[in-house]
């Protein structure tokens, strides 16, 4: 399994206006309990959609990976995600919870890419 490629694949499928947490990203990639590994992959620039990954409490934790302060919040807003004061998103409203069809699409993508 190419975990980094899976991270990029998952992030491509996150719909506009939605986010995922590091732990959720790791689980969707087949490595539950590997949130830090997901964080490293995101921090290494595996996807232009890295701004869609937030901390477990909805906090914008990837800000240090962006060269411009506030860029993650700006990108999220441009994508249709409401950013709350204190650089947070409301996970109850903004978290991507893939349905069965989206999960099947993700598995097809992994298979097609051999990852």
């Amino acid at each position: 399994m190419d975990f980094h490629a899976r991270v990029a694949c998952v992030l491509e499928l996150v719909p506009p206006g939605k986010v995922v947490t590091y732990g959720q990203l790791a689980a969707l990639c087949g490595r539950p309990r590997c949130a830090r590994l997901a964080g490293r992959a995101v921090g290494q620039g595996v996807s232009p959609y890295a701004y869609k990954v937030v901390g477990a409490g909805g906090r914008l934790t990837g800000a240090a990976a962006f060269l411009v302060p506030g860029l993650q919040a700006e990108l999220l807003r441009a994508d249709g995600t409401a950013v709350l004061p204190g650089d947070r998103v409301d996970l109850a409203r903004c978290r991507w919870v893939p349905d069965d069809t989206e999960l099947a699409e993700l598995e097809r993508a992994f298979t097609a890419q051999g990852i």
Side-chain angles (χ1 to χ4, degrees):
M1 168 194 334
D2 183 340
F3 185 77
H4 284 65
R6 281 183 171 224
V7 166
C9 186
V10 169
L11 290 178
E12 282 186 36
L13 294 177
V14 177
K18 297 295 182 179
V19 297
V20 293
T21 65
Y22 291 97
Q24 180 185 9
L25 179 58
L28 288 168
C29 291
R31 298 286 301 269
R33 300 176 46 120
C34 291
R36 288 183 185 196
L37 182 59
R40 278 195 290 279
V42 168
Q44 291 173 353
V46 299
S47 171
Y49 302 106
Y51 66 91
K52 293 185 175 207
V53 185
V54 299
R59 198 166 51 100
L60 307 190
T61 56
F66 296 93
L67 298 176
V68 178
L71 182 58
Q72 183 179 17
E74 184 179 320
L75 291 169
L76 285 169
R77 285 186 187 104
D79 193 51
T81 305
V83 178
L84 303 171
D87 286 338
R88 294 180 135 350
V89 296
D90 180 354
L91 289 177
R93 300 176 93 192
C94 299
R95 181 194 305 253
W96 179 46
V97 180
D99 60 25
D100 290 341
T101 302
E102 291 169 318
L103 290 172
E105 181 181 349
L106 185 57
E107 285 302 319
R108 281 192 300 276
F110 289 164
T111 301
Q113 294 181 37
I115 55 173

